Amino acid sequence: MISRKQTRIAFGGPAALILISLLSLSPCFVAAAEGTGTTYYIDCQRGIDSNAGTSPASPWKTLDKVNGVTLAPGDSVLLMRGTRCEGVLRPKGSGRPGEPISLGAYGNGPLPVVVNGAISGANREQSGSGQTAEILPTLTLFNQQHWHIRNLELVGGTPWGLYISGDKGVLRHFRITDLVVRDVTGKPRDKRSGLVAVLGGSPEQTFEDVVLEGITAYGTTQWAGIVVDGGHPPLPRGADGKTPATLKAQDVTVRNCLVHDTAGDGIVLFRVRNGLLESNVAWATGMMPSKDPDGPENPNSIWVWRCENCLVQYNEGFLSESEGVDGGVYDIDWGSHGNVVQYNYGHDSQGYCISVFGAGGGTTTDSIVRYNVCANNGRSARLAQRQGDLYLSTWGGGSLDGVQIYNNTFYWNPPVDVPFLKNDAQFVGNRPNFFKNNLVLSSVPTLLDSNRTLQLDHNLYWYPGPRLPEWRYGEHSYRGLADLRERGGQEARGLFLNPLLETSTKTFGLPFHLAAGSPAVDHGLAVLGAPAFDYFGRPVPQGKGHDVGAVEFVPADPGIARVDRAPAMRGEDVLKRPYDWPTDHGWLLMTIIPAGVFQESDQSVARSFAVALRSLARQYEGSGLQAALVVSGEGSRPEAMENLPYDWALGPIRVISDQDRELGTVLEVSDKPVTLLISPGKHIVGRWEGRSNPARLGLTLRWLLGPPPGMAPIGVRSGPE
């Protein structure tokens, strides 16, 4: 969150005038660019700067050669795959609508790598303390627009790896896709430093139409993994105590990105209107070894600040840390309006799963938290006691108006007896503030601590221990749900019952599906404006009414009831590595994507499956789990997919061409992607169609394989007794 103390949030001075840049392109993108302008080729191993540079047969050698050219709309700069270039890129020029400038790769093989060279004395900025700070990103665009960047690996730089900024006007249309950005160094001075940064550089400059897709960003002693800030550092507070408004970026998307091992935040949007954070994964955030009294503080994994109409959905965050407070996964921070956090999975964090904050003398309005799954957060006793799993709080003259929290599922298993919901916020206005239709499974008896503004009803709570459950509501504590209902006036239709979650080993039942006869079935309340689908994308309601929790009951869920013998699968992946599946030694997680889905123009759906596979492969690294991505049908020729393992940074995940649809036919894959979980006993024990779902896959593996190494069991009994 933005700290209670006035953390500095911007760089100023000469750094704002630095120009560096890097761009990248897929083969299909290259063809489009070649038809509209000049294409320049760079081969840092075999090129010669005296060459023409306009064909693969006569490439340039150095990045300085590129930096000396002013590019025109429609031009492209392509780096040879499998090569390593020392230095930085500072391309000049802007594209225009329909004719962007493109920067990418050509050839076959690993991404071209740009390694930041030595920092010179000319690239230093004088800080407010009188000390000099190194300022040399690996890639910068400054006062430039209409750029496409794709298929590059950027190594090093400080305080950013990729830096896009300016000091005047609205800069439009950026497509940053399939980059690896890593190892950005230096000491963070504020929350706007990090691996990938799109930052307003003056009070008169912002952005519009920005898409960051398929970026892998990791390994930084600077603050964030990916940060987009559409404004500039605010002026001091006025006489009324409020922070003045600044410009906001508009139409910003961060999708299918993976961020890990950052000193501070994972993925953040600051001062954005119409923002989307979708299908991203962030882990091992907040890894700063000790708290710096002069630097930023209080990191989270995926969050927004001063955001307007921003949507956070289908993301996963875990293993978030903090030396201060927060250390959570998702956060609607102060000064935000009309934001929704839905269909996300947050687990195994030191802090909370989700928070909503008000501060800065203003009011955070119309915040919606729905259909999320939170499991095993609050691993730090200190943070669990302070914040819980769901945290509503205000300070600095801030307030909340309109907080709707419904149809979420919480597995609360803290190391100490503290409530999962902590609400000490100041509320104003007349918008609805409620907590409804939520399923809470707790290993401790103290369930919530809230003021009386938040209304409670139609929730189902379960604590399987010997003590009476306790609700702290308003000025009183209530022992037992009947006491809360009679004396506290809350939970008129609430339940304290075993939710009867599915645990049948015969059907490989999973601890988030409602079993037949569950009291949560049809017990929810229809909420005005609620989405038409549950966490798994199934229509709601399925029965006579809405269910409680994030997952609607389906009598025969094909994802858990089907147990088939897995067919033998032998061959080579697109990198010519042999495979022979399934084996007797480990589990196999396989996603099969029809070629038609894979060939969609933005590939966002196909990418989301790769992101989920990468997350789970990382969590179960060393445990014997194998993962594969299969593209099935015409158009999936191996030679056409040779670069995919590199472009999507898939690492150990196998990419398999099923051009003749042999696997697709045997496994009954039609026009929708299918994910299969195959046991060491060579049985298909899980089969799910449609969008990849982090909680469904993650909790399935946790249930069948045990928790990932280093993570705790969920520890809440909830099945039939």
Side-chain angles (χ1 to χ4, degrees), residues 11-19 124-125 135 142 160 163 189:
F11 292 100
L17 301 178
I18 298 173
L19 305 174
R124 292 173 178 266
E125 178 194 12
I135 302 293
F142 195 86
W160 309 283
Y163 174 55
R189 294 171 295 158

Side-chain angles (χ1 to χ4, degrees), residues 6-53:
Q6 289 298 302
T7 303
R8 288 169 292 155
I9 194 167
F11 292 100
L17 301 178
I18 298 173
L19 305 174
I20 308 172
S21 136
L22 199 64
L23 272 166
S24 130
L25 213 48
S26 70
C28 61
F29 223 161
V30 172
E34 288 175 344
T36 59
T38 302
T39 300
Y40 300 95
Y41 296 86
I42 313 297
D43 185 335
C44 291
Q45 291 183 1
R46 292 171 289 275
I48 301 173
D49 280 351
S50 59
N51 284 343

